[in-house]
Every structure is written in C-alpha cells, then in structure tokens.
Amino acid sequence: SCSKLSRERGKYGRRQCRNIVNTDTKAEGVGHGAAPSAVEAPLALHLCTTFRTRLRGWHAVPRAGENTGVYLSPCKAVHTFGMHRAIDVVFVDKRLRVLRQCEHLPPRRAVWCLRAHAVIELPAGYCRRHRDFMVRVQRALCRAKWGSWHQKR
C-alpha cells in the first residue's frame, strides 16, 4: 500500500480522519497503481471551478451514480450538511498528489485540509472499491477539461 489512512475515535466517539502519509515515492499521487477494470464505466467528474458551482457542489450533479464525482477547485474544506448519504472525500494539491482522504464521510460533517488546492468528492466506498482511484480521477479530469475546452471552440 502506498498510503496509510489512520482513523481514530475522537471526542464523543466519532471517527475522525487524519492526514495520509505517502510511503511510496514511485507511485506518488497515482493511487495504488492497479490496472483499471475494462468492464466498468469510466469515472465522470463534474468540474466546479466557480464560486456558484462550488457552493452547490454535489447538489448540482443530476442523478449522481456509482461512477460520478465532483471536482472542486480551488477548495480547502467541504461539508456534508443537507446530504442524505455518505461520500468519499480526497484532498489534493496542484499536482494531484493526495494530501488527505476521508472514506465514508457521513452527513452533517465538515472536513478540511489547509494545504489542499482541490477536493474530489466521490460516492461512498469508491476509493476502497477502486484501488487505482487516483488514476481514474486523472483520466476523468483530462476528459472533463478537454470536453469543456472543446465545447468553447
């Protein structure tokens, strides 16, 4: 495993997420390096880069499915107030290196990472199901950015 996520019980018995320590310099920022499955649909990321779209966040995504996520940039903190289900949250820097990862963040919680440049919100359990989630995120970002650039031309 190239990263370690430590969870501990905090005040009032709630689970808390802590920063990830990257122990593998070869796979830095690339996830676990497993090959993506050829059968599954690719990850689709909705880019939220303006204040209004970041404010709406996950609520702006119509019919968010199992392979749908939200990329918030710039962003250092997110909350799950008003949500009905848990999500996976990944904080990344400008080079898409994982700084912090919170899996199954339940509703009515807030998390932050002051060093982060962007946040990726994914359906709960996505990071655990797909060990190569950062490779999938990078591919989805390329597709989303190319698609938005192509539509402007």
Side-chain angles (χ1 to χ4, degrees), residues 2-3 24 27-34 98 131-135 138:
C2 69
S3 60
D24 186 6
E28 188 174 17
V30 183
H32 295 277
V98 176
R131 295 180 59 92
D132 63 333
F133 71 92
M134 278 310 295
V135 173
Q138 289 171 352

Side-chain angles (χ1 to χ4, degrees), residues 23-60:
T23 58
D24 186 6
T25 56
K26 292 179 185 174
E28 188 174 17
V30 183
H32 295 277
S37 172
V39 178
E40 283 197 37
L43 176 66
L45 282 180
H46 293 272
L47 302 181
C48 298
T49 56
T50 64
F51 176 76
R52 186 174 185 178
T53 56
R54 286 193 315 266
L55 184 64
R56 293 182 65 199
W58 195 261
H59 298 290

Side-chain angles (χ1 to χ4, degrees), residues 128-147:
R128 189 173 299 269
R129 280 192 310 275
H130 305 284
R131 295 180 59 92
D132 63 333
F133 71 92
M134 278 310 295
V135 173
R136 292 170 180 262
V137 164
Q138 289 171 352
R139 289 180 183 158
L141 280 174
C142 287
R143 281 192 305 273
K145 287 181 179 177
W146 174 254

Side-chain angles (χ1 to χ4, degrees), residues 109-126:
R109 301 288 191 275
V111 291
W112 57 88
C113 179
L114 298 179
R115 295 180 299 151
H117 171 72
V119 177
I120 302 154
E121 296 180 348
L122 299 164
Y126 189 87

